[in-house]
C-alpha cells in the first residue's frame, strides 16, 4: 500500500505513478510526457485545483486515471468525472476498463444499471464514476447519490472543460452547476479540469469556475492579477491563477495537414466530394452544420457507391454506438456528421476530416479536426466553406440565448404557481407562457443555476431569491461569439500558416509555421470535379420533396387559453377522419439544394412583406415535380390555400399555378376571420392562434359537400403544423374526403 498522498516524497510518488503508467499502457518502457507527472503531483501530493490545457493525444486521461488510482491507494473514495457526451463517457469507461480502472457511468442510457452501480459505491468497489452535467440538476441524484459520494470523494474531474465556457453560458447551463458542486466539496478534495481547446477567454472562465470561492459571478472573467495570458515555451510549463494550477502546452498538431478549398456553391462542394472522397487515406469524418445537410450528403455519397452513413442528433443512441464502432473498425469510409460526433470519439488512425461548411469558431474547428491524426499516422484536414455559413451560425447563436421577455414571463408564471403551492411541469408552463418547449427547458436551467428556480419531484418552483436579467453579460457573450465568427472567416482567407493561425486563436503564441498546410507548401488537394460527379451532385441537390407528418394529438392546455368548440375542450387524440394525409414540402429550409433559395425567401420576408412576389417559374416547376413524384392513393380534384399575411402573392400564385397545371378545381383561399399570424412561441399558443382563424366560404362549402373531393391544401411555410391540422379539420367537416397538405418550405 502506498503512503498517503501528501506525505510521501515526490520520488516515491513518481515511482508509484510510473508503475501504474506501465500497467495503464501495457508498456514497461512507458514514460511521462512533459507536464504529466507535474499535474499528477499537484493533484495527489498537494490536493490542488488544476487546469490542464494540452493538445489531443498528450495523455490527459492518463493524468486523471492515474491520480484516481493513487488517491484510491491512499484510502480515498470514488473519483467523479463530469463528461459532456454519452459517446465520450462510453469511450472513457472502455479506456478505464482496459487500464484496470473500475469505472461506471450514470446517464439516461443505462438506467437499469443504476442500482448495481450504487451498490458498488456503497461497498467502495468503484474507482471512477462518470456523469453528465445535467445529472447535477436531477433531484434524485442530488438527494440520493451525492450525499454518499461527496464525504469521501477522491477527486473531481471536469473533462472537456471548455464546455464550462462554450456551453455553460446558455446552451448547456447545467455546466455552471459545477461551480456550486465545487463549493460543496470537503476541504482538500483535488479538482482537475482538462481540455485540448481553450483560448485565454475560456481559460479565464474555467479557472474562475474552479476557484469557486473567489466571489466572481459564474462565467465572468476575473479582474485579478495572475490571469493574464501566458505563453509557455514548452509543454509542461505552468502558472498559477489565484488558487488554480494551470498547465498549458503547445497546441500545434504536426500530424495534421490543413487546407481550405473555396467553391462557389453547394453543388460544387458536393461534386468535389463525390469526385475525391476515395482519394483520402483510411476512413474519416465529414462534418456538416445541419442535420438535413448531413443526411442529404450521406445519401448522395451512398448513391455514388461510397460506404458512408449519417450521424446526427436525430440518430438513436443504439445506432450511434453501432456507427461509431463501424468507423473505428474501418467498416465505413466516413460518417457524415454534425457536431453530435465530436468530443471523446477516439480513433487513433482516423485518416481525414472534411468540413462542408465552417464551424463558428476556431475553438470548435480545432476540436473537431482534433479527431484525426491522433496516433502514429498523419491525417488530412480540409475545409470547404459555404456562403450560408454565417446564416447558420446566427440561427444557432440566437436560438440558444435567453431573452429578457421570455425569462421574465416564465419566472412570473412560476412565482404565481409557487405562491399557490403548485409546482409546474414543462407542459404546464407551455400553457402559461408563449415560449417553445425547448426554450422553456433551457430557461428553467438558466434560472435554476442562478438560484431563481428549483427542480422538485413534481416539476419546478420559484425560490423567491432576488434575480435580474443580466443583459450586459449576454451582450458580452454575443459580441464574443461574433468576434470568433469573424476570426473563423479570417482563417478561411489567411495568407499565413493555417496551423499557426489556429494556435494563435487558442492563444498559443509558441506556434511556428507547420510547413505542410496549403499556405506553407501550396495546395495538396486536387480541385477538379469530374462530369459524372457534377451531374450527380446537381441531381442530388435538385431532388425535391420532403414529407410532412400529420399531427395526431391536440396540445395539452388549450382549455387554459379559452380554446374550445361548442363548449367542449379540444384535447386528446385528433380523430383519424379529421386528420390530413402525410403531406409534402418542396424542401426544408436547412437543405443544401432548394433550402438555400428558400432560406433567402423566408428569412427576409418575415419582416419585410413588401418583397412578396409571385413564385418564380423554376420554383413552380420544382413544386410540380414534387406532385408528380407523390405516390398518393387519391389524386386531388381541387386546390384550397391558406391565406398568408406576409406572402399573399407568393401563396396565391403557387396555389393557382398548381391548379392550372394539374387541371384541378381552384377553390381559392380559406376566409381569414381572425389573426393567425404567429411566427414564434410554443405549440399550445400556436395551435390556439389557428383553431378559429379561418372559415370556408359558402361556395367552397357547397362544392366540398356535393363532391366530397380529395383536396390539395397549399400553404407557404410549415413549422408547427397546426395551420394545416386545423385547416384540414375545417375542410373535412365541410365534406372533403381527403386532404393532402403541400407547402413550399418546411422548417423541419
Amino acid at each position: 500500500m502506498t503512503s498517503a498522498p501528501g506525505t510521501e516524497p515526490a520520488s516515491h510518488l513518481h515511482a508509484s505513478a510510473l508503475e501504474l503508467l506501465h500497467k495503464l499502457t501495457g508498456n514497461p518502457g512507458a514514460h511521462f510526457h512533459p507536464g504529466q507527472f507535474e499535474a499528477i503531483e499537484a493533484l495527489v501530493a498537494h490536493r490542488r485545483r488544476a487546469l490542464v490545457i494540452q493538445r489531443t493525444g498528450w495523455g490527459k486521461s492518463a493524468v486523471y486515471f492515474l491520480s484516481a488510482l493513487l488517491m484510491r491507494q491512499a484510502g480515498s473514495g470514488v473519483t467523479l468525472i463530469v463528461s459532456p457526451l454519452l459517446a465520450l463517457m462510453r469511450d472513457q469507461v472502455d479506456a478505464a476498463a482496459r487500464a484496470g480502472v473500475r469505472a461506471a457511468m450514470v446517464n439516461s442510457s443505462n438506467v437499469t444499471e443504476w442500482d448495481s452501480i450504487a451498490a458498488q459505491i456503497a461497498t467502495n468497489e468503484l474507482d471512477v464514476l462518470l456523469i453528465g452535467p445535467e445529472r447535477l440538476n436531477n433531484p434524485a441524484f442530488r438527494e440520493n447519490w451525492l450525499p454518499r459520494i461527496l464525504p469521501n470523494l477522491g477527486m473531481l474531474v471536469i473533462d472537456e472543460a471548455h464546455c464550462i465556457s462554450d456551453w455553460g453560458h446558455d446552451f448547456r447551463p447545467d455546466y455552471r452547476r459545477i461551480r456550486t458542486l465545487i463549493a460543496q466539496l470537503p476541504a482538500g478534495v483535488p479538482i482537475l479540469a482538462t481540455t485540448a481547446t481553450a483560448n485565454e477567454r475560456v481559460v479565464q472562465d474555467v479557472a474562475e469556475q474552479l476557484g469557486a470561492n473567489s466571489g466572481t459571478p459564474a462565467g465572468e472573467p476575473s479582474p485579478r492579477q495572475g490571469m493574464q495570458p501566458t505563453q509557455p515555451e514548452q509543454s509542461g510549463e505552468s502558472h498559477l491563477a489565484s488558487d488554480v494550477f494551470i498547465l498549458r502546452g503547445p497546441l500545434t498538431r504536426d500530424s495534421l495537414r490543413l487546407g481550405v478549398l473555396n467553391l462557389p456553391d453547394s453543388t460544387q462542394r458536393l461534386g468535389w466530394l463525390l469526385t475525391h472522397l476515395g482519394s483520402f487515406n483510411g476512413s474519416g469524418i465529414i462534418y456538416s452544420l445541419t442535420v438535413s445537410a448531413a443526411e442529404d450528403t450521406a445519401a448522395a455519397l451512398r448513391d455514388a457507391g461510397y460506404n458512408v452513413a449519417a450521424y446526427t442528433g436525430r440518430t438513436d443512441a443504439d445506432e450511434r454506438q453501432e456507427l461509431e464502432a463501424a468507423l473505428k473498425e474501418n467498416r465505413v469510409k466516413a460518417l457524415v456528421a454534425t457536431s453530435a460526433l465530436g468530443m471523446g470519439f477516439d480513433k487513433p488512425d482516423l485518416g481525414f476530416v472534411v468540413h462542408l461548411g465552417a464551424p463558428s469558431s476556431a475553438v470548435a474547428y480545432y476540436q473537431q479536426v482534433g479527431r484525426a491524426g491522433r496516433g502514429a499516422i498523419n491525417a488530412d484536414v480540409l475545409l470547404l466553406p459555404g456562403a450560408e455559413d454565417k446564416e447558420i451560425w446566427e440561427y444557432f447563436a440566437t436560438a440558444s440565448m435567453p431573452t429578457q421577455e421570455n425569462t421574465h414571463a416564465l419566472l412570473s408564471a412560476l412565482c404565481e404557481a409557487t405562491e399557490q403551492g403548485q409546482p409546474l411541469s414543462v407542459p404546464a408552463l407551455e400553457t402559461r407562457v408563449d415560449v417553445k418547449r425547448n426554450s422553456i427547458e433551457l430557461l428553467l436551467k438558466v434560472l435554476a443555476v442562478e438560484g431563481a428556480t428549483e427542480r422538485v419531484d413534481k416539476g419546478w418552483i420559484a425560490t423567491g431569491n432576488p434575480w435580474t436579467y443580466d443583459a450586459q453579460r449576454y451582450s458580452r457573450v454575443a459580441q464574443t461569439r461574433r468576434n470568433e465568427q469573424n476570426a473563423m472567416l479570417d482563417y478561411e482567407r489567411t495568407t499565413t500558416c493555417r496551423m499557426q493561425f489556429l494556435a494563435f486563436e487558442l492563444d498559443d503564441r509558441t506556434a511556428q509555421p507547420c510547413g505542410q498546410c496549403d499556405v506553407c507548401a501550396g495546395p495538396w488537394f486536387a480541385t477538379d470535379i469530374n462530369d459524372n460527379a457534377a451531374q450527380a451532385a446537381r441531381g442530388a441537390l435538385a431532388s425535391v420533396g420532403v414529407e410532412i407528418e400529420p399531427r395526431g394529438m391536440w396540445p395539452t392546455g388549450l382549455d387554459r387559453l379559452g380554446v374550445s368548440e361548442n363548449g367542449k375542450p379540444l384535447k386528446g387524440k385528433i380523430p383519424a377522419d379529421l386528420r390530413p394525409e402525410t403531406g409534402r414540402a418542396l424542401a426544408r429550409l436547412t437543405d443544401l439544394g432548394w433550402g438555400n433559395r428558400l432560406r433567402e425567401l423566408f428569412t427576409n420576408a418575415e419582416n419585410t412583406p413588401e418583397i412578396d412576389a409571385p413564385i418564380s417559374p423554376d420554383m413552380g416547376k420544382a413544386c410540380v415535380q414534387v406532385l408528380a413524384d407523390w405516390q398518393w392513393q387519391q389524386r386531388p380534384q381541387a386546390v384550397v390555400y391558406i391565406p398568408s399575411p406576409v406572402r399573399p402573392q407568393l401563396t396565391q400564385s403557387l396555389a393557382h399555378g398548381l391548379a392550372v397545371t394539374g387541371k384541378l378545381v381552384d377553390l381559392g383561399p380559406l376566409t381569414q376571420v381572425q389573426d393567425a399570424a404567429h411566427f414564434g412561441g410554443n405549440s399550445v399558443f400556436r395551435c390556439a392562434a389557428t383553431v378559429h382563424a379561418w372559415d370556408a366560404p359558402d361556395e367552397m362549402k357547397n362544392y366540398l359537400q356535393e363532391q366530397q373531393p380529395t383536396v390539395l391544401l397549399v400553404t407557404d411555410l410549415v413549422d408547427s403544423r397546426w395551420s394545416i391540422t386545423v385547416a384540414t379539420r375545417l375542410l373535412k367537416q365541410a365534406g372533403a374526403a381527403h386532404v393532402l397538405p403541400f407547402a413550399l418550405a418546411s422548417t423541419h
Side-chain angles (χ1 to χ4, degrees):
M1 181 71 70
T2 305
S3 302
T7 62
E8 61 179 338
S11 59
H12 292 170
L13 179 62
H14 188 278
S16 299
L18 191 60
E19 180 181 354
L20 288 173
L21 178 67
H22 294 162
K23 293 180 180 178
L24 183 79
T25 60
N27 177 9
H31 60 275
F32 288 114
H33 295 158
Q36 279 184 315
F37 177 71
E38 288 79 0
I40 293 170
E41 184 180 34
L43 295 164
V44 177
H46 304 298
R47 308 295 180 95
R48 297 299 306 275
R49 298 178 178 189
L51 170 59
V52 172
I53 308 133
Q54 296 284 354
R55 61 191 169 195
T56 300
W58 175 83
K60 295 181 288 295
S61 60
V63 170
Y64 53 71
F65 282 145
L66 294 180
S67 298
L69 291 177
L70 290 166
M71 297 295 296
R72 291 284 286 155
Q73 289 180 359
S76 295
V78 67
T79 284
L80 185 65
I81 300 180
V82 181
S83 185
L85 299 172
L86 290 180
L88 178 53
M89 289 190 214
R90 286 195 296 267
D91 277 353
Q92 288 167 321
V93 169
D94 291 343
R98 292 193 298 269
V101 179
R102 297 171 296 180
M105 61 183 184
V106 172
N107 55 50
S108 58
S109 72
N110 69 336
V111 177
T112 58
E113 302 173 21
W114 289 6
D115 288 345
S116 63
I117 295 171
Q120 285 179 282
I121 294 173
T123 55
N124 201 28
E125 297 176 357
L126 198 67
D127 300 322
V128 169
L129 178 67
L130 294 105
I131 64 169
E134 285 77 12
R135 195 61 40 195
L136 299 174
N137 191 35
N138 181 280
F141 188 82
R142 290 200 316 259
E143 296 167 11
N144 300 327
W145 289 72
L146 284 181
R148 302 177 189 175
I149 295 171
L150 294 185
N152 197 35
L153 184 68
M155 181 171 60
L156 174 64
V157 178
I158 304 104
D159 202 18
E160 304 293 354
H162 60 276
C163 295
I164 289 178
S165 179
D166 290 349
W167 285 357
H169 282 298
D170 44 40
F171 182 60
R172 293 282 289 273
D174 282 315
Y175 259 100
R176 292 166 61 198
R177 289 187 174 278
I178 293 171
R179 185 184 183 92
T180 303
L181 177 64
I182 290 172
Q184 298 171 352
L185 297 181
V189 173
I191 304 171
L192 171 65
T194 69
T195 182
T197 50
N199 56 18
E200 195 61 29
R201 169 184 65 83
V202 175
V203 170
Q204 291 187 6
D205 278 358
V206 175
E208 284 301 328
Q209 294 274 356
L210 297 184
N213 58 355
S214 68
T216 303
E220 291 301 314
S222 168
R224 287 180 296 174
Q225 196 172 9
M227 275 306 300
Q228 299 304 312
T230 64
Q231 288 77 44
E233 295 299 322
Q234 60 182 8
S235 179
E237 283 206 15
S238 63
H239 68 282
L240 300 179
S242 64
D243 55 352
V244 178
F245 172 92
I246 297 180
L247 179 72
R248 185 170 194 164
L251 299 179
T252 54
R253 298 281 306 281
D254 296 338
S255 61
L256 301 182
R257 182 168 62 165
L258 303 176
V260 175
L261 176 59
N262 285 289
L263 295 170
D265 54 41
S266 299
T267 303
Q268 294 276 310
R269 293 198 300 275
L270 182 56
W272 185 93
L273 194 59
L274 290 169
T275 302
H276 295 289
L277 179 57
S279 67
F280 285 98
N281 292 326
S283 54
I285 300 173
I286 302 165
Y287 278 110
S288 66
L289 298 185
T290 67
V291 171
S292 57
E295 293 172 344
D296 292 347
T297 301
L301 289 169
R302 283 195 301 270
D303 289 344
Y306 290 108
N307 185 11
V308 302
Y311 184 113
T312 74
R314 291 180 189 163
T315 308
D316 292 337
D318 290 342
E319 187 180 356
R320 288 193 191 194
Q321 273 189 276
E322 169 56 27
L323 291 176
E324 291 165 21
L327 182 56
K328 289 178 181 179
E329 297 164 10
N330 297 314
R331 290 188 276 119
V332 293
K333 179 64 177 178
L335 292 183
V336 187
T338 62
S339 58
L341 179 65
M343 289 175 291
F345 178 77
D346 189 7
K347 175 178 167 59
D349 63 340
L350 193 76
F352 62 89
V353 172
V354 175
H355 278 79
L356 294 180
S360 60
S361 73
V363 171
Y365 187 63
Y366 180 91
Q367 189 274 322
Q368 289 178 359
V369 302
R371 301 302 102 212
R374 305 181 77 166
I377 68 166
N378 292 329
D380 288 331
V381 172
L382 186 64
L383 170 63
L384 284 72
E388 69 277 6
D389 291 351
K390 291 181 70 175
E391 294 177 21
I392 297 172
W393 297 344
E394 181 65 19
Y395 171 80
F396 285 119
T398 55
S400 65
M401 194 74 75
T403 67
Q404 186 166 359
E405 180 183 5
N406 287 352
T407 312
H408 277 297
L410 186 73
L411 190 55
S412 296
L414 273 181
C415 287
E416 181 180 345
T418 302
E419 289 175 0
Q420 300 170 1
Q422 180 185 4
L424 293 179
S425 65
V426 171
L429 277 164
E430 278 190 292
T431 69
R432 290 166 167 80
V433 293
D434 189 8
V435 182
K436 289 183 178 180
R437 177 170 294 200
N438 58 349
S439 295
I440 289 176
E441 292 170 343
L442 171 66
L443 292 172
L444 286 170
K445 291 178 180 180
V446 170
L447 290 167
V449 166
E450 297 178 357
T453 64
E454 182 180 352
R455 185 179 173 187
V456 295
D457 286 339
K458 295 183 179 180
W460 291 81
I461 62 172
T463 63
N465 294 331
W467 179 88
T468 56
Y469 181 82
D470 193 346
Q472 289 186 342
R473 179 166 74 88
Y474 285 117
S475 176
R476 287 195 297 272
V477 171
Q479 183 58 52
T480 298
R481 288 180 174 171
R482 285 191 291 271
N483 294 342
E484 293 180 353
Q485 290 170 6
N486 289 333
M488 196 64 213
L489 296 174
D490 290 340
Y491 171 79
E492 297 170 12
R493 300 185 291 255
T494 186
T495 57
T496 62
C497 171
R498 296 198 190 278
M499 181 58 73
Q500 187 180 45
F501 184 101
L502 289 178
F504 280 10
E505 281 300 307
L506 291 163
D507 291 312
D508 172 12
R509 299 293 171 177
T510 67
Q512 299 296 316
C514 70
Q516 61 182 354
C517 71
D518 60 339
V519 175
C520 289
W524 47 263
F525 42 84
T527 59
D528 63 296
I529 301 172
N530 70 46
D531 292 340
N532 290 338
Q535 184 176 353
R538 283 192 295 271
L541 298 183
S543 62
V544 292
V546 295
E547 291 190 348
I548 304 170
E549 292 295 330
R551 282 189 173 274
M553 300 283 293
W554 293 110
T556 302
L558 284 174
D559 55 328
R560 287 188 55 86
L561 300 179
V563 177
S564 62
E565 189 170 69
N566 300 323
K568 295 181 179 180
L570 292 174
K571 62 180 181 179
K573 288 186 177 180
I574 300 171
D577 61 351
L578 294 179
R579 299 178 196 171
E581 307 298 318
T582 298
R584 297 291 188 276
L586 172 61
R588 294 175 292 251
L589 291 178
T590 53
D591 285 347
L592 289 175
W594 280 101
N596 290 326
R597 289 274 303 277
L598 293 171
R599 273 197 307 275
E600 294 175 2
L601 184 65
F602 287 92
T603 300
N604 294 332
E606 193 158 297
N607 293 316
T608 54
E610 65 273 8
I611 72 168
D612 179 41
I615 191 167
S616 63
D618 62 331
M619 195 173 287
K621 290 179 181 178
C623 291
V624 171
Q625 185 62 49
V626 175
L627 299 186
D629 295 341
W630 195 340
Q631 300 298 313
W632 47 47
Q633 294 182 349
Q634 304 84 20
R635 188 183 190 279
Q637 290 92 45
V639 175
V640 173
Y641 71 90
I642 300 173
S644 170
V646 175
R647 292 168 285 268
Q649 292 186 68
L650 178 70
T651 310
Q652 190 275 336
S653 64
L654 171 61
H656 181 70
L658 293 177
V660 171
T661 304
K663 298 181 179 179
L664 310 177
V665 177
D666 189 350
L667 296 178
L670 296 172
T671 302
Q672 187 163 320
V673 295
Q674 68 180 43
D675 185 12
H678 203 81
F679 301 114
N682 64 37
S683 186
V684 185
F685 279 80
R686 298 180 92 167
C687 179
T690 61
V691 168
H692 300 299
W694 305 290
D695 196 2
D698 290 341
E699 185 177 353
M700 183 186 296
K701 288 180 180 177
N702 292 337
Y703 178 87
L704 296 175
Q705 187 173 14
E706 293 171 3
Q707 302 297 323
Q708 298 184 359
T710 293
V711 174
L712 184 69
L713 176 63
V714 175
T715 188
D716 54 352
L717 178 68
V718 166
D719 185 2
S720 69
R721 293 173 290 158
W722 283 121
S723 60
I724 60 173
T725 300
V726 169
T728 294
R729 183 168 173 269
L730 174 64
L731 293 173
K732 285 197 165 188
Q733 287 174 333
H738 305 280
V739 175
L740 304 171
F742 178 80
L744 195 57
S746 170
T747 60
H748 302 292

